[in-house]
Amino acid sequence: MKSSKRNAWLGAIAIAVIFILSFISAPTTKIYIGSSYSRAADGYGAWYAYMQQQGTTIQRWQKPLEKLETEKKPATLLRVMSYLREPDLLPDEQEWLDKGNDLIILGVRSRVSQSDFQTLQTSAVGEVKIATRRRYQKAKQDKILLGDRFGAVVWQDTRKQGKVIFSTTPYLAANAYQDDLNNFKYLASLITQNGNLLFIDEYIHGYKDADVKETEGQGNLINYLAQTPLLALLVQAVILLLVLIWSQNRRFGQPKALETPVIDNSEAYIQALAGVLQKAESSDFVVEMLGKEEQLQLQKALGLGSVPLEHQTLLDFWVEKTGKNAAELYTVLKLPARKRRVSQRDLFNWLAKWRTLREF
């Protein structure tokens, strides 16, 4: 297989593999931070298992919040954020509270205080370990559920039909606190204090029920691509792939044969010889050849033919023909006889003098 053809196939295979991997992984992307499915240090898998061991029923909710209907029985929804959000409620959250339900949001942005990063906060279930300097300082004292002199770590806000509990840390009962059972107990006490139905939001972490995926166009790969710029990118990649395979990395159009350059043997010989003389730093041969040619040109200008004459004969004809002193001509004639290296500058000056002499 030719090298160009092999490279075209390798490039095509590489592009195909990259796109296949992207398409397979993109629709199933999950955010594991704060998820009850995660066993990582920042996940909540251990706390969810703890709640089951305690006999507490808590359902993983994998649909949009507006689809959560509890048949007129109040419920409490736990949202563990994968990022720090503002304490303002979203429209669907406000609607959830208006129905008389409760909401717990772990991971609210607040200012960094002067407190220690690692602190033990006193609660009804014992000391709760907190690893953050963030404190919410606008909470009223009677609304603070967990905090110190720097501000609130956990606080509640009662609304007309329900209440919402905020926490400055999203890791209140994360897997990292499995050895600190009070953290698990404290979050359990917050979510079970009213005897409501319990839900933990997994939809915000990318987990979706099959009917939700179908509704959102994620039931299959084609529907997913149709709603993303990847579809246009896939079409372009397929076209490029076909072009590479078909053309085998060659240009379109009629092939043009390369023209073989005509080699001038005389010029090639002169250039090769010049290169050798330059490396050898030898200029006497060049001076000799140029001197003979310049002398012939001067003889032609004097009407003396093209046969080289003796220097003295030429000097005599020069004086007779031009009436000038023979010293200047003698100077340029004797240079080749010196047999020494001539600098480039002296060579150019010497040729200039020959040109001046021919213009007598």
Side-chain angles (χ1 to χ4, degrees):
M1 184 182 292
K2 294 183 179 180
S3 177
S4 60
K5 187 176 182 179
R6 182 173 60 254
N7 292 337
W9 275 104
L10 290 176
I13 293 173
I15 293 175
V17 170
I18 291 174
F19 276 98
I20 290 174
L21 292 177
S22 300
F23 297 154
I24 292 176
S25 61
T28 58
T29 300
K30 300 293 189 298
I31 303 174
Y32 294 103
I33 299 175
S35 171
S36 62
Y37 289 105
S38 175
R39 297 182 180 274
D42 51 12
Y44 271 70
W47 180 82
Y48 186 82
Y50 167 80
M51 296 296 287
Q52 290 180 318
Q53 293 173 1
Q54 300 301 313
T56 303
T57 301
I58 179 170
Q59 181 180 346
R60 287 169 168 146
W61 186 250
Q62 299 181 165
K63 295 181 180 180
L65 180 55
E66 60 266 18
K67 296 183 179 294
L68 181 52
E69 298 292 342
T70 60
E71 299 180 356
K72 296 184 180 180
K73 185 175 181 179
T76 299
L77 176 68
L78 172 62
R79 278 189 160 178
V80 184
M81 307 307 298
S82 57
Y83 61 93
L84 294 179
R85 53 168 283 181
E86 298 300 326
D88 302 324
L89 295 179
L90 301 176
D92 58 345
E93 295 172 339
Q94 185 61 55
E95 183 179 354
W96 170 258
L97 293 178
D98 292 342
K99 295 178 181 179
N101 302 308
D102 295 337
L103 180 63
I104 300 177
I105 302 176
L106 306 184
V108 175
R109 186 181 303 278
S110 55
R111 292 184 178 181
V112 177
S113 68
Q114 298 296 322
S115 67
D116 296 333
F117 182 76
Q118 293 278 0
T119 58
L120 293 175
Q121 302 291 333
T122 303
S123 71
V125 298
E127 292 184 332
V128 179
K129 182 178 291 187
I130 299 298
T132 181
R133 289 190 176 93
R134 294 186 180 275
R135 298 290 189 273
Y136 186 72
Q137 300 175 352
K138 295 182 179 181
K140 296 180 180 180
Q141 190 64 35
D142 60 337
K143 300 296 184 181
I144 298 177
L145 304 179
L146 198 68
D148 49 28
R149 63 187 181 88
F150 296 100
V153 177
V154 180
W155 71 99
Q156 68 179 8
D157 186 5
T158 304
R159 303 300 172 95
K160 293 181 179 180
Q161 301 295 331
K163 68 178 180 180
V164 56
I165 297 177
F166 297 103
S167 170
T168 60
T169 173
Y171 311 117
L172 184 61
N175 296 335
Y177 293 107
Q178 295 183 57
D179 295 333
D180 300 287
L181 198 58
N182 286 344
N183 285 60
F184 284 17
K185 291 180 179 180
Y186 182 72
L187 181 57
S189 68
L190 292 179
I191 197 172
T192 60
Q193 59 183 338
N194 292 333
N196 295 347
L197 295 175
L198 305 180
F199 296 89
I200 182 170
D201 195 344
E202 289 295 340
Y203 181 79
I204 61 176
H205 298 291
Y207 294 92
K208 302 176 182 180
D209 291 340
D211 58 336
V212 176
K213 291 182 179 180
E214 189 69 27
T215 303
E216 296 180 355
Q218 299 181 13
N220 54 67
L221 184 60
I222 302 301
N223 290 338
Y224 172 79
L225 293 177
Q227 297 184 1
T228 66
L230 292 177
L231 181 61
L233 187 61
L234 176 62
V235 174
Q236 296 177 18
V238 171
I239 296 175
L240 177 61
L241 191 61
L242 293 176
V243 170
L244 288 175
I245 295 175
W246 179 39
S247 66
Q248 296 182 1
N249 204 24
R250 292 197 299 265
R251 293 183 178 181
F252 297 111
Q254 296 297 326
K256 298 181 66 176
L258 296 177
E259 297 181 359
T260 304
V262 179
I263 300 177
D264 188 339
N265 293 329
S266 298
E267 182 180 357
Y269 172 75
I270 292 173
Q271 292 179 352
L273 181 59
V276 173
L277 294 175
Q278 182 181 15
K279 289 184 179 181
E281 297 184 353
S282 176
S283 60
D284 52 347
F285 177 79
V286 176
V287 173
E288 181 181 354
M289 294 297 102
L290 290 176
K292 290 181 178 180
E293 182 63 27
E294 290 291 347
Q295 179 179 338
L296 289 177
Q297 295 298 326
L298 179 61
Q299 288 182 193
K300 291 179 181 180
L302 295 172
L304 301 178
S306 59
V307 178
L309 301 175
E310 294 292 336
H311 288 179
Q312 187 59 47
T313 304
L314 180 59
L315 290 172
D316 293 339
F317 275 107
W318 168 260
V319 173
E320 180 182 349
K321 185 72 174 179
T322 63
K324 296 182 179 181
N325 193 336
E328 187 174 4
L329 177 59
Y330 177 76
T331 301
V332 296
L333 287 173
K334 73 176 183 178
L335 182 63
R338 294 181 179 178
K339 301 298 182 182
R340 65 178 180 84
R341 186 172 181 275
V342 180
S343 67
Q344 188 177 27
R345 181 178 179 181
D346 292 340
L347 181 61
F348 287 156
N349 292 334
W350 178 63
L351 293 174
K353 289 180 180 179
W354 272 113
R355 188 176 302 109
T356 302
L357 291 174
R358 290 200 305 270
E359 295 173 355
F360 61 90

